[in-house]
Amino acid sequence: MANSSFIRIAQVAKEFTAPDGSIIPVVEPLSIDVQEGEFVVFVGPSGCGKTTVMRMVGGLETTSAGDIYLNGKRVEGPNRDKGMVFQSYSSFPWLTVLGNIRFGLKYRDDISADEKERIARHYLDLVGLTPFADYTINRISGGMRQRVAIARTLAANPLVLLMDEPFGALDALSRERLQIQLMDLRRAERKTVIFVTHDVDEAVLLADRIIVFSARPARVLADIAVSATLPEKRSLDILDIPEFRKIRRDVLALIRNEETRMEAAE
Amino acid sequence: MDPPGAAWRDLIVFRAAPRPRQELWLSIGAFLAVLIVWLIVAESGLVHPQILPSPRAVMAAWWRLFTEAEYISDIGISVARVWAAFLASAVIAIPLGILMSGYRAITALFEPIIDFVRYLPVPALVPLTLIWLGIGEGSKVTLLWIGTFFQLILLIADDARRVPKEFIETGRTLGASDTALMKDVLLRAMLPNMVDSLRITLGWCWTYLIVAEIVASSSGIGYELWTARRYGKSPEVFAGILTIGIIGLASDQAIRFLHRRWFRYLH
């Protein structure tokens, strides 16, 4: 296998040890390659291990077997190269909106203080929160909190942006707005993104490529090149076009099939 | 607009909205009610004044303590003992508790010892502190320190463990080192709960102070209280108890006030 992929997940497996000592396989040996600038969405039945795969890329979980490489370097733990946005609100409540975004730059010693301030305000503006710069986190909505988390992570300038169901806790309207914003942001920034969701519409809307996982232990069921059939610049209108509906139907069928198989096994 | 009386009715509705003003009046009312019952029972002559002196006798005793017995310096020395022990506990327990929450080796090393000492009744240690440190300030402060440090360190470690995993992981993925993570994220996130833990610990300090001052002391609120008992001066005993209660109430309210000021983002 060529070593040229930006992210290379090579024969990676994960197992947990249960309290009674038995071994529970969570991820079967699997390999995924991600190109630089690609937006890859992981979908699969709930509890299938897709988040675990992403957390291993982020260095937040160790692998039980196999290795992960980012930009040619082996992943050995979390650092600034792998930015993470969580489902739960992880903005720091003791800081303001701008303070949180500044925190993303706190540990960068490659740039001056003036430059940090400029970058922080740039990302504040990019997520549309300039009027709320001095608000504390408890005074802004859930959607705004996730925008703070995204801006903070982008300000740290990671090589890859890892997003774990970032819009899962939002209402439908906020979710749509953030999806559109994320697409705009991502086009402007050309970031490599791995995005975990269980919302198939969201997956097809955002993805260049969808990886469908099996029920636990996770295997790759399908690897769908969405950008081959759908245009790169998308809006919510795309939800009505036949190509979109076909991909959506295929992915849903795969996941439903997995869930039926799991229920039958129990 | 609420109908008249709605605010008061909310006080007895299960999980109703808070009514700070009405709640304050209720608290003051309860305090006054205790005082009035005390006054009536004591003045009626039903109970011997040796058992229950009247509030007026207690006020007079208070006056005597302040004017004749230099009670101010007794209060000062008791407060100083409490704060010396409290600060000594906090200064060691905060860093050690945080380390315990983060490093399994440190937990494994210290937890058995802490749990052992934690269950020892503090009064039982009085003879030991006297043998080791004599009857000076050292033995009293040490006793208070033993009584609070081993409890506080576990409270601090728990506060640190309760910081959401996402905060720590966010710090790591933004490039924080272990030390930076503890200083900039963990400590900052746990701070409101930690101030509460410290407030509770300060209360315990007062409990043990009286033990220390009764057994081996020639000054302080506890000493005056015990001396008054020896001479059967129950108004002075009551005055001593009320003094401790008032200092405790005042410092507790002061810390709560600061908590609201410092951690406005929680309120």
Side-chain angles (χ1 to χ4, degrees):
Chain A
M1 194 188 297
N3 209 351
S4 60
S5 301
F6 191 61
I7 300 171
R8 199 153 77 87
I9 301 172
Q11 288 298 310
V12 164
K14 180 73 178 177
E15 48 194 37
F16 288 127
T17 310
D20 64 3
S22 60
I23 303 284
I24 303 165
V26 181
V27 178
E28 289 199 337
L30 57 79
S31 298
I32 300 168
D33 286 84
V34 177
Q35 304 309 318
E36 187 163 9
E38 215 172 10
F39 196 120
V40 178
V41 178
F42 289 179
V43 293
S46 53
C48 74
K50 54 191 188 291
T51 296
T52 308
V53 175
M54 192 186 68
R55 287 176 59 83
M56 288 192 288
V57 175
L60 295 169
E61 303 267 1
T62 56
T63 59
S64 302
D67 285 313
I68 297 171
Y69 298 88
L70 171 62
N71 205 16
K73 274 196 316 205
R74 203 167 80 90
V75 170
E76 276 166 0
N79 59 25
R80 208 156 47 73
D81 289 342
K82 291 138 332 203
M84 188 95 185
V85 178
F86 297 93
Q87 175 182 17
S88 61
Y89 307 141
S90 59
S91 302
F92 298 141
W94 60 90
L95 296 174
T96 61
V97 166
L98 181 58
N100 266 283
I101 298 173
R102 282 196 192 115
F103 199 96
L105 296 140
K106 195 176 174 73
Y107 304 109
R108 286 183 67 176
D109 40 23
D110 52 332
I111 47 174
S112 69
D114 286 351
E115 183 68 2
K116 285 186 184 182
E117 190 59 24
R118 195 192 61 75
I119 295 173
R121 291 196 177 268
H122 167 73
Y123 283 104
L124 177 73
D125 188 48
L126 211 58
V127 294
L129 288 177
T130 303
F132 303 96
D134 296 324
Y135 278 49
T136 49
I137 296 303
N138 63 342
R139 288 179 58 206
I140 60 173
S141 69
M144 286 181 178
R145 288 178 201 198
Q146 288 309 71
R147 277 144 73 187
V148 172
I150 293 168
R152 179 176 62 184
T153 310
L154 287 175
N157 194 26
L159 292 174
V160 57
L161 186 59
L162 305 170
M163 307 183 84
D164 185 9
E165 297 189 29
F167 310 144
L170 302 181
D171 63 273
L173 281 175
S174 314
R175 178 189 289 228
E176 279 182 2
R177 278 183 54 199
L178 260 84
Q179 287 164 346
I180 299 291
Q181 261 196 338
L182 180 63
M183 283 193 286
D184 292 344
L185 265 181
R186 187 257 160 170
R187 259 198 305 278
E189 296 276 316
R190 280 280 126 210
K191 279 278 175 231
T192 311
V193 183
I194 297 180
F195 189 106
V196 167
T197 183
H198 56 249
D199 178 341
V200 176
D201 281 351
E202 180 171 79
V204 185
L205 180 66
L206 296 175
D208 290 331
R209 197 174 140 202
I210 297 177
I211 310 265
V212 186
F213 285 93
S214 70
R216 205 171 74 182
R219 283 176 295 116
V220 175
L221 277 186
D223 189 338
I224 303 164
V226 180
S227 51
T229 35
L230 292 181
E232 199 206 327
K233 188 164 165 46
R234 297 168 206 170
S235 68
L236 289 171
D237 298 336
I238 209 166
L239 269 64
D240 298 321
I241 73 168
E243 289 87 344
F244 180 97
R245 294 222 298 274
K246 180 183 183 313
I247 298 172
R248 182 180 178 277
R249 209 164 43 235
D250 291 350
V251 173
L252 267 177
L254 281 166
I255 296 174
R256 279 210 196 98
N257 188 33
E258 276 303 294
E259 274 171 355
T260 335
R261 194 173 64 80
M262 283 313 284
E263 275 163 26
E266 269 166 20
Chain B
M1 186 65 198
D2 286 340
W8 287 103
R9 209 171 43 245
D10 272 355
L11 291 177
I12 52 162
V13 172
F14 184 65
R15 295 202 153 213
R19 297 288 188 179
R21 184 185 307 226
Q22 281 75 12
E23 287 165 32
L24 180 66
W25 279 116
L26 205 61
S27 301
I28 293 171
F31 209 85
L32 289 177
V34 172
L35 211 62
I36 289 167
V37 170
W38 176 18
L39 189 73
I40 291 169
V41 173
E43 296 284 341
S44 68
L46 287 169
V47 186
H48 194 280
Q50 189 75 31
I51 308 283
L52 187 72
S54 83
R56 286 185 303 142
V58 173
M59 292 302 289
W62 233 336
W63 181 252
R64 277 199 301 281
L65 281 169
F66 278 112
T67 53
E68 292 162 26
E70 292 177 31
Y71 205 42
I72 280 288
S73 72
D74 281 312
I75 292 175
I77 202 144
S78 288
V79 170
R81 282 170 187 155
V82 163
W83 276 88
F86 172 69
L87 290 178
S89 284
V91 162
I92 311 173
I94 291 169
L96 206 54
I98 289 175
L99 290 175
M100 268 180 74
S101 79
Y103 296 100
R104 299 201 181 272
I106 296 177
T107 308
L109 274 174
F110 288 104
E111 204 162 55
I113 302 168
I114 290 167
D115 277 338
F116 178 80
V117 181
R118 212 160 59 89
Y119 281 99
L120 297 178
V122 172
L125 299 173
V126 172
L128 263 188
T129 56
L130 286 176
I131 292 168
W132 288 342
L133 299 154
I135 55 163
E137 292 304 313
S139 65
K140 286 179 268 295
V141 173
T142 305
L143 194 75
L144 301 197
W145 183 84
I146 294 172
T148 51
F149 170 76
F150 296 94
Q151 312 278 351
L152 181 60
I153 190 166
L154 293 187
L155 290 179
I156 299 281
D158 271 345
D159 290 339
R161 286 192 190 102
R162 270 202 297 271
V163 171
K165 192 178 73 175
E166 284 81 6
F167 284 8
I168 304 298
E169 292 184 340
T170 297
R172 283 201 188 288
T173 54
L174 295 176
S177 65
D178 285 356
T179 14
L181 207 55
M182 281 188 263
K183 185 168 68 72
D184 300 335
V185 180
L186 189 68
L187 185 64
R188 207 56 198 71
M190 67 187 278
L191 205 54
N193 287 334
M194 193 176 87
V195 169
D196 268 334
S197 299
L198 290 171
R199 181 172 61 82
I200 292 163
T201 308
L202 186 62
W204 289 335
C205 272
W206 280 97
T207 316
Y208 297 129
L209 172 82
I210 303 310
V211 174
E213 287 185 344
I214 281 174
V215 178
S217 186
S218 54
S219 59
I221 302 172
Y223 164 76
E224 293 293 349
L225 202 151
W226 201 242
T227 314
R229 186 213 68 97
R230 197 171 298 151
Y231 298 109
K233 295 197 273 191
S234 51
E236 270 82 354
V237 172
F238 267 74
I241 293 170
L242 289 180
T243 305
I244 296 164
I246 289 166
I247 294 172
L249 189 68
S251 47
D252 208 79
Q253 290 297 323
I255 298 174
R256 280 173 196 268
F257 174 76
L258 289 176
H259 198 283
R260 281 194 297 272
R261 283 283 303 273
W262 290 338
F263 310 119
R264 216 163 260 164
Y265 58 87
L266 296 176
H267 297 288

